[in-house]
Amino acid sequence: MQAFQPTRRSLWALLAPSVLVYGFIVVVPVVVGIWFSFHEMRNFQMEWAGVANYARMAGDGDLWFVLGNNVTITGLAIFFQVMPAFFIAVLMNRKDIWAEKFVRTAVFLPVVISPVVTSFVWILVFNLDSGLLNSTLAVLGLEAWQQRWLDDPEIVIYSLTAVLVWQYIGLFVVIFLAGLSAINPETLEAADVDGASFFQTAVLVVLPQMSRTVAVAMVLALSGGLKIFEHPLVMTGGGPGLASTVVAQFAYDVSFRRAQFGYGATIAITITVLSLVTVLACLWIINRLTVRSSGETDA
Amino acid sequence: MATLELNRIGKVFGTTRVLSEIDLAVAHGEFVILVGPSGCGKSTLLRIIAGLETRHDGEVVIGKKNVTGLRAKERDIAMVFQSYALYPHMTVARNLGFSLRIKRLPKPAIAERVGRAAEILNLTPLLNRYPKELSGGQRQRVAMGRALVRDPAIFLFDEPLSNLDANLRVAMRQEISDLHARLGSTIVYVTHDQIEAMTMADKIVVMNAGRIEQVGRPLDLYDNPQSRFVARFIGAPAMNFLAGSMEGGAARIRLADGAGELSLAGRPARSGAVEIGVRPEHIRVGRDLPEAALQGIVRHVVTTGADSYLDLDLGSQRLTALTQERPDVGPGDRVAIAIPPSAPKLFDTETGARIEF
Amino acid sequence: MLDRISDLTPKALGGAKTLAAGLAISLAATTASAQDITLRFGHLWDDASPDGKVIAAALDAFAAEFPDVEVVEEVLSHDEYLAQFKVSAASGALVDVFAVNRTDIPSAARAGLLRDLDGAMETNAQWGEALTDTLVAEGVVDGETYAIPAFQIVTHVIFYNSAMLEAAGYESFPDTWEGLLSLIDALNEKDVTPIALGNKAAWVAADPLFSTLANRATGSDWYDRLLANEAKFTDPEFVASLALFEQLSDVGAFNADANSLDNDQQKALFLNEEAAMFIEGNWAIQPIIDGASPELLDNVGMAIWPSVPGGAGAPNAVSGGSGWLWAANADLDGEAAAAAEGLIAALTGEVAGRARLENGLMPSSSLQSTDGIEVPAMLAELSNQVGSGELTLVPIFVLPLPGGVFDVLGKGLQDLMTDSVTPEALAEKLQEEYERAL
């Protein structure tokens, strides 16, 4: 059999399909989006608007408020999802095979369920009168802790975050488990022998060796936090008011409910750029912190 | 420094029994080496001593304290791992000082102990390097240094030299021996390499299939193997084994298929088939040996300079002889073979157990 | 797609047909009754819904009249349809005949996307006569008719449980705002939710509750001036209407989870007798009849907001109209255009009207005969009151306004309920959004 020798031409021929697909699903929408952002729709026609949409965005208190919701959710998710997932993964890494399999399945299962389905399930949990949460609190005699989980504008964002954490923590556990499998297990035992506690081992020995995994997890958490859409839409419709509206739904509403496609595109493009910058900054910082020892060695 | 005592240690992985009824006592300051083929359970036993495997039968006593069920960090042991297990994100100095920082020792004390360990192991110029910037031997020394700064009751070594090349391994053997001599520490050391065991150990524990075959000083094991397994495992080139049979009370033994007879220094009471073990260096070979009782044919001759090995056909059986003389025979030559009566060790053909006489 | 359909007119096909005729000889007459025209028909009512059944009946009637026209239905859910319509309109990809929301009509008409139906109104004389002027007005832009009302709805009816009102000491529904507030107090003391509200999707408060309430406070004059951009949302009369809504929430008129339930759940609270009232449109009548116990059904009363203190609005005004209208693509011409107009006529004609009544809905046009149709008593009562002028229809508040105003009002009313915004601040936000679209 003759080994395949790609020529310049055959290489392009082979790459063409993926380049085309990428172009159509990524490049074209972005270019169209940028074009839209300098226009606004009037009577279903796009009219040149200059930088008016960008100027409007700067002064749009509602937009910054809903962006704040994303920041809150993302921050809480990193704290209550990425961090616990790391420790769960380290813990599971030490356990027996059957327990690991069981926990892996139990923790990962929600990840593969549709967000719409989980949202409906959690609506039942959060229901004011008959929901699992308030009922359980009543049974425990903790009526004072009962809340209007989805109706109180001060609380709803945390209720939503809890659902997101519940649903996606398994994803991060699996990511960290994969990262853990790449580090020398004897370093964990060495730390054990050296007298380190579970948390000391996790933080001082495992974490620094998984800087790339942590970077991946952070990027996923950040981008996930910025693209949340289904959960608030199904559970609260973004309400009450804008209390649980996230930037994706806001852009959607502006485009499709208000028919302001130009402004909607402006928001979408800006958020995309903002996400990119945040993610790159995050990667840069992590890279800087680990430049010399750079985690995964060839030991 | 402390003693170590293992009482009836057993371990089962799933349905596989990997250790059965291991009893062992290690004296204060003793250098004990667990040796055996891979899968014999020696590493598992070491991990049980370390507290890295906590689910097992029997008890582990370090010093006067029963540490069974205690975590590794509660046992006052230090361990050198096969992969060295250096923390890749820490400099040599921080690797060495990790356990001390965990103990929250004051910084000057840490620096002092790290400095001393580095000096002992010639690591001082490397203190600010990262593990990936070190050679294999240097990493090995850092791993030992990390154990050293702990000043533990017992040092545990898990095949520490198996990732080094041959020359380095010889040098490191010497370093570890010197270190032991200098510190007088209690060491339990696991290896599959019997030469390491023979050259370093005060006491060797030969393990096979989850059991201890024999415990003893290196030369005791060499001279007096209690089983065919130990006899075969200890010594290189390995002991020769010949099939033979005997009649009770006779001071001689007949080789299988009539290749001849060997004289014995005693008169074993047994009759029937036995296995005869003869160390290569006890066999003398020559064109003409007055005391020779056997005749064989040379297959090959290998000379390393100081030593020469002769592969011989003795009837249908094979035999290797070792001599320090330059042999004057070549392949195909018919030679006389002499085995002094003190040389043969007899083993039960079925069980491999030593037959004393 | 549209281009292709408009190309497929008999004119364009003439040559091809002649050519094909020769080829078709051996194929005998297989294509003799071929359907020459295909109409793509977009709407948002699936087969199982009452409206879907009406459409099915109308399509049957249409098929009898236009046997050569094939109608291909494209059905989406409500929110999807609203979004898809905007996308299709912006990209010039509207189907041939479609439902169009009142909100989108001015923009779509001015963009030249909708077929001018004035001619059709004249040729279908009986059709024009049967529609009430207020309804017809919804499809008129700059004096031309671009869309025909799909139906008539009353979007504000207070359904109440008279037994609960009696238990709270009320023999009849209060006829003053103060009376309503004290009824709410009395019901709350009995631990009954006064008004069940399921406002997750934000339209229940914005239309069934607020459309009529706003009219009570502002009157129709102010509203007409608002549409003409001569009045502002920040005018005191409109701010007062927001304050009234806030007051309802503040006195505890609604269930505490009003913004996380949907309109089916507010109905369920009423049907389970956990709430004394709920407010929706006439479309809720049939589900009440279907879902209420016989005892409850006997006790269900219908009311509207009482007059409000200082309000300029008529106390018998209720919000209503059509909201959804049928329109045709402006690109159609020739036989396809005639077929499209025929389809719209069928959708709003006698057969469809009877089907509406049979399904507990109100037709957009008056029927020549209602013989043999059993109309539920509540629906008949409501229809009669509207027909007799006992109730005056006023526009659904947000529909003639730009979509952004609906969005801001829907969310703003939720904010009012959680005290996250003041009526004044919300009014300013509405005005800002309104001016953006002018």
Side-chain angles (χ1 to χ4, degrees), chain B residues 227-248:
Chain B
S227 66
R228 182 175 53 199
F229 178 83
V230 174
R232 195 194 301 271
F233 194 81
I234 300 289
M239 183 179 266
N240 296 292
F241 289 93
L242 301 168
S245 64
M246 54 193 281
E247 279 165 35

Side-chain angles (χ1 to χ4, degrees), chain B residues 18 40 58 66 87-88 103 162 182 245 315 348:
Chain B
V18 292
C40 71
N66 185 341
Y87 308 124
K103 271 195 211 156
S162 58
R182 185 166 160 188
S245 64
D348 187 297

Side-chain angles (χ1 to χ4, degrees), chain A residues 138-178:
Chain A
V139 169
L140 297 176
L142 297 170
E143 278 90 350
W145 291 12
Q146 291 180 342
Q147 297 291 344
R148 299 158 64 210
W149 300 108
L150 297 178
D151 281 81
D152 187 331
E154 304 290 328
I155 289 175
V156 61
I157 196 80
Y158 304 109
S159 306
L160 282 173
T161 306
V163 178
L164 289 161
V165 167
W166 173 83
Q167 175 145 31
Y168 293 120
I169 194 165
L171 178 66
F172 292 95
V173 170
V174 169
I175 289 170
F176 283 124
L177 277 173

Side-chain angles (χ1 to χ4, degrees), chain A residues 43 62 151 234 241 253 260, chain C residues 200 259-260 411 414 429 433:
Chain A
N43 295 339
D62 284 354
D151 281 81
V234 173
D253 285 351
Q260 294 163 3
Chain C
K200 182 159 96 177
N259 286 319
S260 63
K411 284 170 180 149
Q414 290 188 337
K429 214 165 148 184
E433 188 63 32

